[in-house]
Coordinates of all heavy atoms in Angstrom, one line a residue:
V1 N 6.8 -16.1 4.0 CA 5.8 -15.1 4.4 C 5.4 -14.2 3.2 O 6.4 -13.7 2.6 CB 6.1 -14.3 5.6 CG1 5.1 -13.2 5.9 CG2 6.4 -15.2 6.8
L2 N 4.2 -14.0 2.9 CA 3.7 -13.1 1.8 C 2.7 -12.2 2.4 O 1.9 -12.5 3.3 CB 3.1 -13.9 0.6 CG 4.1 -14.8 -0.1 CD1 3.4 -15.5 -1.3 CD2 5.3 -14.0 -0.7
G3 N 2.6 -11.0 1.8 CA 1.6 -10.0 2.2 C 1.7 -8.8 1.4 O 2.2 -8.8 0.2
G4 N 1.1 -7.7 1.9 CA 1.0 -6.5 1.1 C 0.7 -5.3 2.0 O 0.3 -5.4 3.1
E5 N 0.8 -4.1 1.3 CA 0.5 -2.8 2.0 C -0.3 -2.0 1.0 O 0.0 -1.9 -0.1 CB 1.8 -2.1 2.4 CG 1.6 -0.7 3.0 CD 2.8 0.1 3.1 OE1 3.5 0.3 2.0 OE2 3.2 0.5 4.2
L6 N -1.4 -1.4 1.6 CA -2.2 -0.4 0.8 C -2.2 0.9 1.5 O -2.6 1.0 2.6 CB -3.6 -1.0 0.6 CG -4.6 0.0 -0.1 CD1 -4.1 0.2 -1.5 CD2 -6.0 -0.6 -0.1
V7 N -1.8 1.9 0.8 CA -1.8 3.3 1.3 C -2.8 4.1 0.5 O -2.7 4.2 -0.7 CB -0.4 3.9 1.2 CG1 -0.4 5.4 1.8 CG2 0.7 3.1 2.0
Y8 N -3.8 4.6 1.2 CA -4.9 5.4 0.5 C -5.0 6.8 1.2 O -5.0 6.9 2.4 CB -6.2 4.7 0.7 CG -7.4 5.5 0.2 CD1 -7.7 5.6 -1.2 CD2 -8.2 6.1 1.1 CE1 -8.8 6.3 -1.6 CE2 -9.3 6.9 0.7 CZ -9.6 7.0 -0.7 OH -10.6 7.7 -1.1
H9 N -5.0 7.8 0.3 CA -5.2 9.1 0.9 C -6.2 9.9 0.1 O -6.4 9.7 -1.1 CB -3.8 9.9 0.8 CG -3.4 10.3 -0.6 ND1 -2.8 9.5 -1.5 CD2 -3.6 11.5 -1.3 CE1 -2.6 10.0 -2.6 NE2 -3.1 11.3 -2.6
R10 N -7.0 10.7 0.8 CA -8.1 11.5 0.2 C -8.2 12.8 0.9 O -8.1 12.9 2.1 CB -9.4 10.7 0.3 CG -10.6 11.5 -0.2 CD -11.9 10.8 0.1 NE -13.1 11.6 -0.3 CZ -13.6 11.6 -1.5 NH1 -13.1 10.8 -2.4 NH2 -14.6 12.3 -1.8
R11 N -8.3 13.8 0.0 CA -8.6 15.2 0.5 C -9.3 15.9 -0.7 O -9.3 15.4 -1.8 CB -7.3 15.9 0.9 CG -6.3 16.1 -0.2 CD -5.0 16.7 0.3 NE -4.0 17.0 -0.7 CZ -2.8 17.5 -0.5 NH1 -2.5 17.9 0.8 NH2 -2.0 17.7 -1.5
P12 N -9.9 17.1 -0.4 CA -10.6 17.7 -1.5 C -9.8 18.0 -2.7 O -8.7 18.6 -2.7 CB -11.0 19.1 -0.8 CG -11.1 18.7 0.7 CD -10.0 17.8 0.9
G13 N -10.3 17.4 -3.8 CA -9.6 17.6 -5.1 C -8.5 16.6 -5.3 O -7.8 16.7 -6.4
E14 N -8.2 15.7 -4.4 CA -7.1 14.7 -4.6 C -7.4 13.4 -4.0 O -8.0 13.4 -2.9 CB -5.8 15.3 -4.1 CG -4.6 14.4 -4.3 CD -3.3 15.0 -3.7 OE1 -3.4 16.2 -3.3 OE2 -2.3 14.4 -3.7
E15 N -7.1 12.3 -4.7 CA -7.3 11.0 -4.2 C -6.4 10.0 -4.8 O -6.1 10.2 -6.0 CB -8.8 10.6 -4.4 CG -9.1 9.2 -3.8 CD -10.6 8.8 -4.1 OE1 -11.2 9.5 -4.9 OE2 -11.1 7.8 -3.5
G16 N -5.8 9.1 -4.1 CA -4.9 8.1 -4.7 C -4.6 7.0 -3.8 O -4.9 7.0 -2.6
A17 N -4.0 5.9 -4.3 CA -3.7 4.7 -3.6 C -2.4 4.1 -4.1 O -2.1 4.2 -5.3 CB -4.8 3.7 -3.6
I18 N -1.6 3.5 -3.2 CA -0.3 2.9 -3.6 C -0.4 1.5 -3.0 O -0.5 1.3 -1.8 CB 0.9 3.6 -3.1 CG1 0.9 5.0 -3.7 CG2 2.1 2.9 -3.4 CD1 2.1 5.9 -3.2
L19 N -0.1 0.5 -3.9 CA -0.1 -0.9 -3.5 C 1.3 -1.4 -3.5 O 2.0 -1.3 -4.5 CB -1.0 -1.8 -4.3 CG -1.0 -3.3 -4.0 CD1 -1.6 -3.6 -2.6 CD2 -1.8 -4.0 -5.1
T20 N 1.7 -2.1 -2.4 CA 3.1 -2.7 -2.3 C 2.9 -4.2 -1.9 O 2.2 -4.5 -1.0 CB 3.9 -1.9 -1.3 OG1 4.0 -0.6 -1.7 CG2 5.3 -2.5 -1.2
L21 N 3.5 -5.1 -2.7 CA 3.6 -6.5 -2.3 C 4.9 -6.8 -1.6 O 6.0 -6.2 -1.9 CB 3.5 -7.3 -3.6 CG 2.2 -7.1 -4.4 CD1 2.2 -8.0 -5.7 CD2 1.0 -7.3 -3.6
A22 N 4.8 -7.7 -0.7 CA 6.0 -8.1 0.2 C 6.1 -9.5 0.3 O 5.1 -10.3 0.3 CB 5.9 -7.4 1.5
G23 N 7.4 -10.0 0.5 CA 7.6 -11.4 0.7 C 9.0 -11.5 1.5 O 9.9 -10.7 1.4
K24 N 9.0 -12.6 2.4 CA 10.2 -12.8 3.2 C 10.4 -14.3 3.3 O 9.5 -15.1 3.5 CB 10.0 -12.3 4.6 CG 11.2 -12.5 5.5 CD 11.1 -11.9 6.8 CE 10.1 -12.6 7.8 NZ 10.2 -12.1 9.1
Y25 N 11.6 -14.7 3.1 CA 12.0 -16.1 3.2 C 13.1 -16.2 4.2 O 14.2 -15.5 4.1 CB 12.6 -16.7 1.8 CG 12.8 -18.1 1.9 CD1 11.8 -19.1 1.6 CD2 14.1 -18.6 2.1 CE1 12.1 -20.4 1.7 CE2 14.4 -20.0 2.2 CZ 13.4 -20.9 1.9 OH 13.6 -22.3 2.0
S26 N 12.9 -17.1 5.2 CA 13.8 -17.3 6.3 C 14.5 -18.6 6.3 O 13.8 -19.6 6.3 CB 13.1 -17.1 7.7 OG 12.5 -15.8 7.7
A27 N 15.8 -18.7 6.2 CA 16.6 -19.9 6.3 C 17.1 -20.0 7.7 O 16.8 -19.2 8.6 CB 17.6 -20.0 5.3

């Protein structure tokens, strides 16, 4: 399984985003 997470925040005078990649292998 592969995927990701995107966290975005915005407020007056500040804006940013964090990207995280994820993977899971099940035996």
Side-chain angles (χ1 to χ4, degrees):
V1 174
L2 295 179
E5 174 191 61
L6 176 64
V7 179
Y8 172 81
H9 72 277
R10 175 186 175 87
R11 62 182 181 181
E14 183 179 350
E15 182 179 14
I18 299 177
L19 177 63
T20 302
L21 302 179
K24 182 176 75 171
Y25 185 85
S26 303

